[in-house]
Amino acid sequence: MQTDQRKLTEANLTVGYVAKRSGVKVSTLHFYETKGLIRSWRNSGNQRRYKKDVLRRIAVIKAAQAMGITLDEIKHTLVTLPDQRTPTQKDWAALSKQWQTQLDERIAYMQRLRDRVDGCIGCGCLSMSKCPIYNKNDHLGENQSGAVLLDTSN
Amino acid sequence: MQTDQRKLTEANLTVGYVAKRSGVKVSTLHFYETKGLIRSWRNSGNQRRYKKDVLRRIAVIKAAQAMGITLDEIKHTLVTLPDQRTPTQKDWAALSKQWQTQLDERIAYMQRLRDRVDGCIGCGCLSMSKCPIYNKNDHLGENQSGAVLLDTSN
DNA sequence: TTAAAACCTCAAGTTATATTGAGGTCAAAC
DNA sequence: GTTTGACCTCAATATAACTTGAGGTTTTAA
């Protein structure tokens, strides 16, 4: 029965089909594979074949990217998925939990930005050391240079 | 008096000084100049000199980048600043207004993501056509391919 | 006055995230 | 059975946003 179950649940999807269903290009699937984000096996003629769950994997990758998570980070999270069996709903939920925090931080930062940007850009306070815009604690923006006070009085 | 005022307010900042005060590298200042984001004039020895307001300009560029705005978009917004006179506080405020909307949208999208990502990734709904993750109306993520329903039932 | 520090230009390199193309093979339909 | 579409690999190109380096000039300070 385990065998029958597998026959039913693990389709042999071609790369073209996966591309069409997921909305990403074939070349992107190749690319993701070289990056270790998805997997396939080959048929007798060396063509890629995929399990059905690759579709969800791709959807998750896209969702994570939309959250601003890099492919490298996504990869690190995806490897926490079970290797031997097809991931369950619980597995996926655990994944999303890992990203939830990042997303919360990102939103909080955006809100700080929004709350301050108006006054901040408009007023004279736009300083590298004091302005909340520069005092973020997440990965958005790469200003980790020793903050310097801008004297923007003019 | 107008002349005196200008003498006082328009310093002749060197590129090294601007770099140090703004926290960006000299090469970045060169780069921004080629991109039309900042301006300078040259002294007799062909070295760049800047007006003081370049510091605020750079701070604004950095803030906008942190909001996820590209240099191209930033440039388009910056050209709305007055060309002949040094921008006033009002000018800067008008700028930030333009970005406020984008930022609001971005936050809203992030929140939709946060509200749904848990259930969405965990459950079976993660579909390209129905999932709120894919039905965003801002520039985050580039999935404008004709959305396709993913059958992720497994 | 001379040596070091700061500056100049221009080309090439870097990282992330893909996309495109060339040249060739495999599979499905008529 | 042959043609057409799908697939293969590998190298090159694309874009954004910078950075690095080489080779040469200007400014500053002792």
Side-chain angles (χ1 to χ4, degrees):
Chain A
M1 181 191 169
Q2 173 61 10
T3 313
D4 290 330
Q5 188 83 2
R6 293 192 56 206
K7 277 220 174 92
L8 281 169
T9 57
E10 298 182 9
N12 290 292
L13 312 184
T14 66
V15 72
Y17 177 86
V18 171
K20 201 169 282 176
R21 294 299 290 276
S22 66
V24 314
K25 296 199 171 184
V26 170
S27 62
T28 305
L29 295 175
H30 289 184
F31 174 69
Y32 284 173
E33 192 169 321
T34 69
K35 290 286 171 180
L37 291 160
I38 58 175
R39 275 202 219 161
S40 65
W41 68 93
R42 303 304 176 99
N43 74 354
S44 56
N46 195 36
Q47 298 195 347
R48 287 172 178 80
R49 290 298 180 264
Y50 298 90
K51 287 203 321 189
K52 214 169 181 179
D53 70 356
V54 78
L55 291 172
R56 180 183 295 245
R57 230 177 142 93
I58 295 162
V60 166
I61 291 166
K62 286 302 173 190
Q65 279 195 303
M67 293 179 217
I69 297 168
T70 67
L71 290 185
D72 258 5
E73 294 176 298
I74 293 167
K75 183 185 171 180
H76 280 107
T77 309
L78 283 179
V79 296
T80 68
L81 282 177
D83 213 42
Q84 301 307 321
R85 59 182 168 76
T86 295
T88 67
Q89 181 168 332
K90 246 185 186 161
D91 294 323
W92 291 115
L95 256 201
S96 78
K97 201 90 182 181
Q98 295 189 52
W99 286 324
Q100 192 98 28
T101 311
Q102 275 189 63
L103 191 51
D104 282 342
E105 278 170 12
R106 203 166 285 262
I107 290 171
Y109 170 56
M110 290 295 211
Q111 282 169 336
R112 276 203 309 285
L113 259 185
R114 181 183 56 188
D115 294 346
R116 301 299 192 120
V117 75
D118 196 34
C120 226
I121 289 183
C123 82
C125 93
L126 202 58
S127 82
M128 294 293 192
S129 66
K130 287 184 187 165
C131 181
I133 288 175
Y134 295 98
N135 296 317
K136 45 194 175 311
N137 50 21
D138 59 43
H139 322 298
L140 280 174
E142 264 67 64
N143 175 57
Q144 68 275 76
S145 56
V148 176
L149 182 64
L150 279 184
D151 177 8
T152 48
S153 66
N154 86 45
Chain B
M1 186 200 172
Q2 173 62 11
T3 314
D4 291 331
Q5 188 83 4
R6 293 193 56 207
K7 277 221 174 93
L8 280 170
T9 58
E10 297 183 8
N12 289 292
L13 312 183
T14 66
V15 71
Y17 178 85
V18 172
K20 202 169 281 179
R21 293 300 289 274
S22 66
V24 312
K25 296 196 171 186
V26 169
S27 63
T28 305
L29 295 174
H30 288 184
F31 175 70
Y32 283 172
E33 192 170 321
T34 70
K35 289 285 172 181
L37 290 161
I38 59 175
R39 276 204 220 158
S40 65
W41 69 93
R42 304 303 176 101
N43 74 353
S44 54
N46 195 36
Q47 298 195 346
R48 288 172 179 81
R49 291 296 180 266
Y50 299 89
K51 286 202 322 190
K52 213 168 181 179
D53 70 356
V54 78
L55 290 173
R56 182 183 293 244
R57 229 177 144 91
I58 295 162
V60 166
I61 290 167
K62 286 301 172 191
Q65 280 195 301
M67 294 178 215
I69 296 168
T70 66
L71 289 185
D72 258 5
E73 294 175 299
I74 293 168
K75 184 186 170 179
H76 281 107
T77 309
L78 282 180
V79 296
T80 68
L81 281 176
D83 213 41
Q84 301 307 321
R85 58 183 171 75
T86 294
T88 66
Q89 180 166 334
K90 247 186 186 162
D91 295 323
W92 292 115
L95 256 202
S96 80
K97 201 90 182 179
Q98 294 188 52
W99 285 325
Q100 191 99 27
T101 311
Q102 274 188 63
L103 192 51
D104 281 342
E105 277 170 13
R106 202 167 286 261
I107 289 171
Y109 170 57
M110 290 295 212
Q111 281 169 336
R112 276 204 308 287
L113 258 185
R114 180 183 57 186
D115 293 347
R116 300 301 191 120
V117 74
D118 197 34
C120 226
I121 289 183
C123 82
C125 93
L126 202 59
S127 82
M128 294 294 191
S129 66
K130 288 184 186 163
C131 181
I133 289 175
Y134 295 98
N135 296 317
K136 45 194 174 310
N137 50 20
D138 58 44
H139 321 298
L140 278 175
E142 265 66 65
N143 175 58
Q144 70 274 77
S145 57
V148 176
L149 182 65
L150 280 184
D151 177 9
T152 48
S153 66
N154 87 45

